[in-house]
Amino acid sequence: MIIKAAIVDDNSFLISAVKEKLSFFTDIEVKFSAVNGSDLLDHLNDNHNLDIILMDIEMPVLNGIEATEIVKQKYPHIKIIILTVFDNDENIFNAIKAGADGYLLKEVNPRDLYEGIVETLNGGAAMNPSIAFKTLKLLRNPIQIENKVEQESIALTKREIEVLEQLSKGLSYNAIADNLIVSNGTIRKHIENIYKKLQVHNKLEAVQKAKRNNLI
Amino acid sequence: MIIKAAIVDDNSFLISAVKEKLSFFTDIEVKFSAVNGSDLLDHLNDNHNLDIILMDIEMPVLNGIEATEIVKQKYPHIKIIILTVFDNDENIFNAIKAGADGYLLKEVNPRDLYEGIVETLNGGAAMNPSIAFKTLKLLRNPIQIENKVEQESIALTKREIEVLEQLSKGLSYNAIADNLIVSNGTIRKHIENIYKKLQVHNKLEAVQKAKRNNLI
DNA sequence: TTAAAAATACGACATTTTACGTATTGTAAT
DNA sequence: ATTACAATACGTAAAATGTCGTATTTTTAA
């Protein structure tokens, strides 16, 4: 089966360089390229029948980390390998947190790039040895793994938090109503308000977002 | 310069196998081998002029994790690559915590083993893609690092895991069907089977249980 | 090469969830 | 005392989910 790939990079010269590297391998087809995260999302909106994305980090409009987070949320079946010149801890850690399946440096040779892609599609992860070393360091020192992201706390009421906590356990509206000794309708309204505040549309997204924001 | 290596394994047959793999490369010399951690320490006591140790985990007297910790404490200049048949999260995490510079599976081919050693000596880390993947998961989910209790692994199929992963993002059945390019009915059936295996009755419970069991 | 397991698909039905709108009562701060 | 917000509650309706059953095709393993 032919591997369907896409390349995202704001430097068209570098896109060509990657295409060139991949051109040696007949079982990989570059379906399209995008010049930034936003452009990528547009493409995916049309067609997300894709196996893997090779993603740069430094890009205008929507950078590679942000784009990775969105793509992984919406199209979890697509693998993403970060392909960049920067190998600082913060980029690596944030990329991994965002859900990247691999992290290679642009200087990678064609064979390693190809093998990285294949290994990633086989459930492994593509990593440069120097990147691997940094991830090991990060694992050893969880201290420096603090959440870099700034979050302006979302104002949920006490009762809403209670409801959210029960939601997160997988309880039904009726069970929650029963637990908190109010009507089903009340729970429904609370949840409606919670969804509005969190800007989500179902239980799982609400629980995810609440956890990311340390609300529960 | 010739690389000075040592091999530690309680199975002498496997020691020979590793030596065999390294014999292709003239710039590596196996200075000695040891049959357990204690034996290794004795050897090092005599002579710790060594570049790298290839270390098994499961060994009597003093296992590979403990030995790694001691060697790294006493002889920090010596690199250590874990070479084992086991790739469970706990071993990987503990080995890294103990200071291992790499983690390869015994099935590794000669070239990858050699390159792993060279890269490690150049300040990188040697890692099998499947190991790399597990370290990424560990980095993303620091919670499950502690949580090493019971889990008689529940047998979900590859496809079921994929579906579960998408479920965990809060996607609807239709979105999942769209992403995986199958019908809504197929997704429904997969989820039905997942619920049966996990003994749950809704998305949130399924995702919770799956995370607790390191299925996703 | 068979048998078993996995992946695919559809129909039907009950239940639950999501998303509106509206409205009353309680509470806390100004 | 007034205002704002929180908590409560109900109705309606569309959409999504959960639970059955059945069945074909594909893949894997014995």
Side-chain angles (χ1 to χ4, degrees):
Chain A
M1 231 259 301
I2 303 273
I3 297 170
K4 295 178 284 296
I7 304 173
V8 189
D9 201 316
D10 60 331
N11 182 332
S12 63
F13 176 73
L14 289 176
I15 289 184
S16 302
V18 175
K19 276 189 186 164
E20 174 74 17
K21 282 182 186 172
L22 293 179
S23 68
F24 295 102
F25 308 97
T26 55
D27 59 338
I28 294 192
E29 185 184 351
V30 177
K31 303 292 276 189
F32 64 84
S33 59
V35 296
N36 60 55
S38 188
D39 188 19
L40 168 68
L41 292 179
D42 289 343
H43 274 93
L44 289 178
N45 218 23
D46 286 351
N47 175 17
H48 49 262
N49 179 11
L50 203 62
D51 297 305
I52 195 153
I53 296 171
L54 303 177
M55 179 99 74
D56 188 23
I57 288 188
E58 306 282 324
M59 293 182 297
V61 188
L62 191 69
N63 73 41
I65 308 275
E66 297 163 327
T68 296
E69 203 158 0
I70 295 170
V71 171
K72 275 290 174 180
Q73 164 74 37
K74 206 163 175 192
Y75 312 103
H77 57 291
I78 302 178
K79 302 285 183 181
I80 298 179
I81 295 179
I82 301 291
L83 197 56
T84 176
V85 289
F86 303 101
D87 67 344
N88 55 310
D89 284 9
E90 187 158 353
N91 270 344
I92 294 171
F93 181 65
N94 286 332
I96 291 170
K97 273 296 198 192
D101 301 286
Y103 199 113
L104 297 173
L105 296 180
K106 286 235 175 92
E107 69 208 35
V108 68
N109 65 54
R111 181 173 63 78
D112 286 345
L113 176 57
Y114 173 73
E115 285 182 359
I117 291 172
V118 172
E119 296 283 9
T120 299
L121 293 179
N122 284 332
M127 254 195 274
N128 212 292
S130 73
I131 303 293
F133 179 72
K134 282 168 192 279
T135 67
L136 294 194
K137 275 209 316 195
L138 285 171
L139 254 183
R140 282 190 202 108
N141 300 317
I143 314 99
Q144 59 196 196
I145 304 184
E146 290 319 312
N147 243 335
K148 309 275 183 213
V149 199
E150 195 52 55
Q151 66 218 359
E152 80 305 335
S153 69
I154 297 160
L156 292 193
T157 71
K158 206 175 161 185
R159 196 57 157 174
E160 284 166 351
I161 303 259
E162 274 184 288
V163 171
L164 200 42
E165 246 149 21
Q166 304 235 0
L167 251 200
S168 79
K169 306 293 182 188
L171 298 186
S172 71
Y173 287 16
N174 281 328
I176 299 175
D178 203 35
N179 284 341
L180 300 184
I181 323 187
V182 294
S183 81
N184 172 290
T186 301
I187 297 302
R188 232 161 53 200
K189 179 53 77 179
H190 279 311
I191 291 176
E192 196 181 323
N193 293 332
I194 291 169
Y195 286 3
K196 273 214 190 83
K197 288 184 181 176
L198 298 184
Q199 300 182 81
V200 298
H201 302 279
N202 64 55
K203 290 180 173 187
L204 258 158
E205 284 180 353
V207 171
Q208 265 194 152
K209 189 143 189 176
K211 283 191 175 159
R212 272 206 307 275
N213 288 65
N214 296 319
L215 297 174
I216 56 172
Chain B
M1 228 256 303
I2 301 275
I3 297 170
K4 295 177 287 297
I7 304 172
V8 190
D9 199 316
D10 59 333
N11 183 330
S12 63
F13 176 72
L14 289 175
I15 289 183
S16 303
V18 175
K19 276 187 184 163
E20 173 74 18
K21 282 182 186 173
L22 293 179
S23 68
F24 294 102
F25 309 97
T26 55
D27 59 339
I28 294 191
E29 185 184 351
V30 177
K31 304 291 277 189
F32 65 85
S33 61
V35 296
N36 60 54
S38 189
D39 187 19
L40 167 69
L41 292 179
D42 290 345
H43 274 93
L44 290 178
N45 218 22
D46 286 351
N47 174 16
H48 48 261
N49 178 14
L50 203 62
D51 297 306
I52 194 152
I53 296 171
L54 302 177
M55 179 97 74
D56 188 24
I57 288 186
E58 305 282 324
M59 293 182 298
V61 189
L62 191 68
N63 72 40
I65 308 273
E66 297 164 328
T68 297
E69 205 159 359
I70 295 169
V71 172
K72 275 290 173 181
Q73 166 71 37
K74 209 165 174 188
Y75 314 102
H77 58 290
I78 302 178
K79 302 285 183 182
I80 298 178
I81 294 179
I82 301 292
L83 198 55
T84 176
V85 290
F86 303 101
D87 68 343
N88 55 308
D89 286 6
E90 184 162 0
N91 271 344
I92 295 171
F93 183 65
N94 286 333
I96 292 170
K97 273 297 200 191
D101 302 285
Y103 199 113
L104 296 174
L105 296 180
K106 285 234 174 92
E107 70 208 35
V108 69
N109 66 54
R111 181 174 63 79
D112 286 345
L113 176 57
Y114 173 74
E115 285 182 1
I117 292 172
V118 172
E119 295 284 8
T120 299
L121 293 178
N122 284 331
M127 252 194 276
N128 210 292
S130 74
I131 303 293
F133 178 72
K134 282 167 192 279
T135 66
L136 292 195
K137 275 216 311 196
L138 286 172
L139 255 181
R140 279 189 205 110
N141 270 332
I143 317 102
Q144 59 192 203
I145 293 177
E146 315 304 331
N147 192 2
K148 279 303 131 196
V149 219
E150 51 80 39
Q151 74 212 349
E152 71 315 329
S153 65
I154 297 160
L156 293 193
T157 70
K158 205 175 160 181
R159 198 55 157 173
E160 284 166 350
I161 303 257
E162 273 183 81
V163 172
L164 200 42
E165 244 148 23
Q166 305 234 358
L167 252 200
S168 77
K169 307 290 186 185
L171 298 186
S172 70
Y173 287 16
N174 280 329
I176 299 175
D178 201 37
N179 282 341
L180 301 183
I181 321 186
V182 294
S183 81
N184 172 291
T186 300
I187 296 301
R188 232 161 49 205
K189 178 53 80 179
H190 279 310
I191 291 176
E192 196 180 323
N193 294 332
I194 291 169
Y195 286 3
K196 274 213 189 84
K197 288 183 181 177
L198 298 185
Q199 300 182 80
V200 298
H201 303 280
N202 63 55
K203 290 181 174 185
L204 259 158
E205 285 180 352
V207 170
Q208 267 192 153
K209 189 145 191 174
K211 283 195 175 156
R212 272 206 308 274
N213 288 66
N214 294 325
L215 297 174
I216 57 173

